[in-house]
Amino acid sequence: MPTELTEYDPSMGRKFIFVTGGVMSGLGKGITAASTGRLLANAGFDVTAVKIDPYLNVDAGTMNPYQHGEVYVLKDGGEVDLDLGNYERFLDIDMTFDHNITTGKTYQHVIEKERAGDYLGKTVQIIPHITDDIKRRIREAAEGSDVCIIEVGGTVGDIEGMPYLEALRQFAHEEDDGDILFTHVTLVPYSQNGEQKTKPTQHSVKELRSIGLQPDILVGRADDELEPHTKEKIALFCDVPTDAVFSNPDVPDVYQVPLVVEDEGLDQYVMERLDLAEEALPESARENEWRELVTQETTGEVDIALVGKYDLEDAYLSVHEALKHAGLDQGVDVNVLWVDAEEMTDDHRDRLERADGLVVPGGFGARGTDGKIEAVRYAREHDVPFLGLCLGFQMAVIEFARNVCGLDRADSTEFEAETPHPVIAILPEQYEVEDMGGTMRLGAHETQIQEGTLAADLYGSDSCTERHRHRYEVNPEYIDELESAGITFSGRAGNRMEILELDDHPYFVGTQFHPEFRSRPGRASPPFVGLLDAVLGGDD
């Protein structure tokens, strides 16, 4: 029953897998967790996930991509860590903001309750109020699923992560042994003489155990598979069975990780420990589409230029993945050529000339916009298949207004408040907005698609629902002039322009929304499939 003070109900939920990491960040806890979930889903279970981010930000919306990679947007408008994008892609599910727990969100809720007098004069403390709120959020996100996988961001020993690990310790006390599992991911480096070293793993597990948590499964991240004697040594010093130590070696593509850990037997071990083995589908009846998809033979490769201002793949992770999904759909490998928008007139121009297609992704701020506009112009004038996403869509409008409509100094008021031709302007509902976090047009919105257009062919429908993240839009005062000069706004949401295309071009498409956020392996995003189809010659 919920407690009077914290609204925490320890009876909610079914099976829980907690994934922690040690030694260093960026080891691949999220991919390990997502791969485990993919295999359990293949076995017939309803799997969901929770990502815990110990930072004080309420959400990831105001973070610099250099620190945390892209900001991933959920259907309900939640701005979250990119790991939730991996969960959606691997599990093929739509998550909500409730599946992301941050310190900022938790403390804000508890403090608001304290200010409202909900704690009846009690002293509000980390234990039980913060830890109970953490547990409540996990259980509520897990409700209705067979298995919930919870990834704890950061590494064991981080001071900001301590309340979460304490909440997990309490969680373990409240659950039967067969309902909870702790997986710990650590680094297994090589020494200079080529020996796999277990000491970092031993120290990481020691740190975890000092908090009161004993891992049930250890996953060693290494260049290669763990050698048998390495597994035995880890098992001996970390107090787990040898068959509970698994390898997660480097692979050419993250979508192959489920295959590697499946071959290691991770899924079967997890199901046995959670008393799910008898409920699982027989191996012959399990979903095999993932393995077939990621191991299929390709018939060629294409080069796609990605024109952005962050020289970091994680800053455009969903775009990279959507291109990869389109490649799987078309049976080709996609090579992404990074083009620095700020240096495009120098050594990066040749990458545009080498590329078979061009993508200008989303972003904020004036830095790099001149280069992006020049990239759009190059694609338009040289008949290079082009896809513009959010800001890329707006860059296409600005380039067209300047160079086709003759609107000198046409611009967005985001970059030039005094532009004589504000073809891109702030959303009306943003006029009085002062807070930066969570105030944009966010989440899933429906777009009506004009019949007989390329967009209608791409989506095979007269509407689509895609996710948004923007403050600015096409200024309605310029729509007639733009369209009379040759742009077709083939997708609209009321008086908001959502999709543009050019008829006299092999493929020139822009979307105000972010279609990359709904792209999945085996269910690639239509605008990305259209881009590769045009690169490969379409029906010609």
Side-chain angles (χ1 to χ4, degrees), residues 18 20 51-57 100-107 126 130-131 133-135 137-138 150-153 158-171 182 211 213:
F18 293 99
T20 55
K51 173 64 189 302
I52 291 175
D53 288 305
Y55 45 66
L56 278 170
N57 306 63
N100 186 210
I101 301 174
T102 70
T103 299
K105 185 190 292 188
T106 299
Y107 277 69
I126 304 298
I130 294 297
T131 53
D133 194 69
I134 293 167
K135 292 184 292 181
R137 291 176 184 276
I138 292 171
I150 304 95
E151 177 195 350
V152 182
D158 295 343
I159 190 169
E160 60 265 29
M162 297 304 287
Y164 296 98
L165 297 179
E166 169 58 23
L168 268 56
R169 187 193 66 78
Q170 295 175 21
F171 214 106
F182 286 96
I211 300 166
L213 298 175

Side-chain angles (χ1 to χ4, degrees), residues 298-304 323 325-334 355-357 383-385 506-507 528-540:
T298 55
T299 58
E301 60 183 41
V302 298
D303 294 328
I304 302 297
L323 286 168
H325 305 159
L328 292 172
D329 181 89
Q330 297 287 300
V332 296
D333 293 318
V334 179
D356 302 305
D383 287 341
V384 177
Y507 189 86
F528 285 86
V529 172
L531 176 71
L532 289 201
D533 188 55
V535 165
L536 295 169
D539 296 326
D540 296 340

